[in-house]
Amino acid sequence: MKKQRNPHKKDKKTRILLIVIGILASFILILVLGGNLYIDSLLNRTIRSKKLSNEDALVSQEVLDHVKNHRIVNIALFGSDNAKTAQWKSYEMERSDATKIISLDFDSKKIKITSLQRDTLIYIPDPYNDYDKLNHAHWRGGPELAVKTLNYNFDLDITQYVGFSFEALETLVDLVGGIDITLPDGLLATQVMDLGATRDGNVFHLKGKQALGYCRIRKVDDDFHRMDRQNEVILKVLEKLSKKNVFELMGIVDEMLPYVETNLTNNEIKNDITSLLSFDLKHIDQYQIPSKGMDSIEKVIEYNGFSPIYMMENYEDLAKELHWNIYEDESYQPSSNIVQLERNIQNQFGES
């Protein structure tokens, strides 16, 4: 006679299985929530400033209409001359020694870094309302005014920014164990050795202080080459960070976040970081504006007691270059605001 299965035994096994699954699910949820809370606690160490609407940031409707079909987020990056601890709420603030646009291209899964020439003659909008050099926008009104200035002069759509004390680069380079750069013999190599770097053939090992000094060398060439050096250091640091394990990275993040100001929310930062996992991080496109370097300068002027200030040959071309680099839009036509800006600059500073 065939034995009948005990339905109560089956139910008991099912209940046990459901309990185990429930316990595992609860454990995973606790880990996720706990990790989320930990990440939030880290990110809360940054200095936060207010969100900017398109209207706040002077993003024009013309620009929004042009870029609406692209899934690209542009974030302004300001490296300030502030002291080693963040002093972002002390106005007047310091000049932005480095002004860059980080473009997260969710269509092509690429990161693009565009460096802007710091001494470019531009118009700083309200409340300053006058011409000046680009890096003075940060000085005149902090990162919010600097964002408005970028949008106003270059047809951009930036509402988010990250700022850090440029001196904090010393700390970051030291935290990753220094960086190695390769240089041919010459004046630049000599200056790097004068900074205190160590050398093995044409490979120079830079600690934080030397890396910062390397980023700031100007006398051997010009500011366009200096922008290249800044990007080189950034990429070298990213390369070293990519080799760190999770615990090491968390320690570095913990050390560095107090130097950072941003108007990105915790969720925006976490979403961006999650998205970057699918990006090609080994190939970061780099651009300079203007792309022709010193050949783009029509003349060097002095204004309000400041010099050198570079009046560019064509401001409409700068906007076109930016849109080609960031959006790969070959046919971009600058907004009416840029066309008027070009006329105003030529009328006031051009040859009579």
Side-chain angles (χ1 to χ4, degrees):
M1 191 177 196
K2 212 178 209 180
K3 266 187 173 179
Q4 288 188 348
R5 293 187 180 176
N6 187 340
H8 297 294
K9 193 172 182 181
K10 185 178 179 183
D11 289 344
K12 187 177 180 181
K13 286 182 177 178
T14 302
R15 285 198 303 271
I16 291 171
L17 181 61
L18 288 173
I19 290 169
V20 170
I21 292 172
I23 291 171
L24 286 173
S26 300
F27 183 64
I28 292 169
L29 182 62
I30 289 169
L31 285 177
V32 170
L33 290 175
N36 199 41
L37 288 171
Y38 174 67
I39 292 171
D40 279 336
S41 70
L42 282 180
L43 295 177
N44 287 339
R45 300 188 68 201
T46 62
I47 298 169
R48 292 300 168 88
S49 48
K50 72 173 186 177
K51 299 292 292 178
L52 296 176
S53 66
N54 287 329
E55 185 178 1
D56 294 332
L58 296 186
V59 180
S60 76
Q61 190 59 49
E62 283 183 80
V63 172
L64 290 174
D65 290 340
H66 275 293
V67 304
K68 64 184 178 183
N69 293 325
H70 298 276
R71 292 194 308 139
I72 295 176
V73 175
N74 293 313
I75 302 171
L77 179 68
F78 302 114
S80 168
D81 285 335
N82 287 18
K84 288 189 177 181
T85 54
Q87 297 175 346
W88 301 96
K89 294 181 181 177
S90 302
Y91 296 99
E92 284 183 351
M93 298 179 64
E94 297 295 335
R95 299 161 176 81
S96 51
D97 196 64
T99 300
K100 300 180 186 293
I101 302 162
I102 310 299
S103 301
L104 306 181
D105 189 334
F106 293 92
D107 290 322
S108 62
K109 304 294 184 183
K110 288 197 300 187
I111 298 177
K112 303 172 183 180
I113 300 176
T114 305
S115 301
L116 299 170
Q117 215 293 326
R118 51 176 271 163
D119 294 323
T120 301
L121 173 67
I122 46 79
Y123 185 83
I124 301 179
D126 190 64
Y128 187 67
N129 296 313
D130 200 358
Y131 296 97
D132 210 325
K133 58 171 67 181
L134 178 62
N135 72 326
H136 281 190
H138 193 277
W139 178 38
R140 304 295 189 186
E144 291 178 14
L145 184 56
V147 165
K148 289 167 66 174
T149 299
L150 291 175
N151 292 332
Y152 186 88
N153 289 269
F154 301 106
D155 272 2
L156 293 170
D157 63 340
I158 301 170
T159 59
Q160 301 173 332
Y161 60 83
V162 176
F164 65 95
S165 163
F166 207 64
E167 297 284 343
L169 184 65
E170 282 189 37
T171 303
L172 180 57
V173 171
D174 285 335
L175 285 171
V176 300
I179 59 171
D180 294 324
I181 60 170
T182 302
L183 296 171
D185 290 331
L187 184 56
L188 182 58
T190 300
Q191 291 212 6
V192 170
M193 288 301 294
D194 290 343
L195 291 170
T198 56
R199 177 176 185 173
D200 182 7
N202 288 110
V203 177
F204 297 77
H205 183 73
L206 279 63
K207 295 180 181 178
K209 188 174 183 179
Q210 290 99 45
L212 179 60
Y214 178 67
C215 287
R216 287 183 159 168
I217 291 173
R218 292 180 77 177
K219 293 181 180 177
V220 299
D221 36 50
D222 54 51
D223 197 55
F224 293 94
H225 287 86
R226 189 170 78 147
M227 289 192 289
D228 284 337
R229 287 191 280 274
Q230 291 170 355
N231 286 348
E232 181 184 10
V233 169
I234 290 171
L235 294 178
K236 291 288 185 181
V237 169
L238 289 175
E239 183 183 341
K240 295 293 288 284
L241 286 172
S242 69
K243 297 174 183 176
K244 302 291 183 183
N245 62 45
V246 173
F247 298 105
E248 290 172 324
L249 287 173
M250 288 296 101
I252 292 171
V253 168
D254 188 48
E255 290 275 352
M256 292 306 302
L257 285 177
Y259 291 103
V260 175
E261 180 196 10
T262 184
N263 68 345
L264 286 158
T265 65
N266 286 1
N267 283 337
E268 286 171 334
I269 294 171
K270 287 184 286 188
N271 288 338
D272 285 345
I273 291 172
T274 302
S275 298
L276 289 179
L277 296 176
S278 64
F279 277 46
D280 181 7
L281 299 178
K282 292 181 180 178
H283 300 95
I284 297 177
D285 294 341
Q286 297 183 65
Y287 306 102
Q288 283 190 6
I289 296 297
S291 61
K292 294 188 295 182
M294 299 299 285
D295 291 337
S296 299
I297 299 170
E298 181 171 325
K299 64 178 179 177
V300 180
I301 67 170
E302 179 180 337
Y303 186 68
N304 287 338
F306 292 103
S307 180
I309 302 178
Y310 300 145
M311 176 185 165
M312 299 300 171
E313 286 183 340
N314 193 308
Y315 284 81
E316 292 181 43
D317 283 350
L318 297 186
K320 289 179 182 178
E321 281 188 69
L322 268 169
H323 279 258
W324 168 240
N325 295 341
I326 295 173
Y327 299 99
E328 299 178 12
D329 185 351
E330 211 171 359
S331 60
Y332 180 73
Q333 292 302 311
S335 69
S336 55
N337 182 68
I338 297 292
V339 173
Q340 187 59 52
L341 176 71
E342 177 86 55
R343 289 184 191 139
N344 293 345
I345 288 177
Q346 289 294 336
N347 288 339
Q348 183 156 346
F349 301 100
E351 296 292 340
S352 53

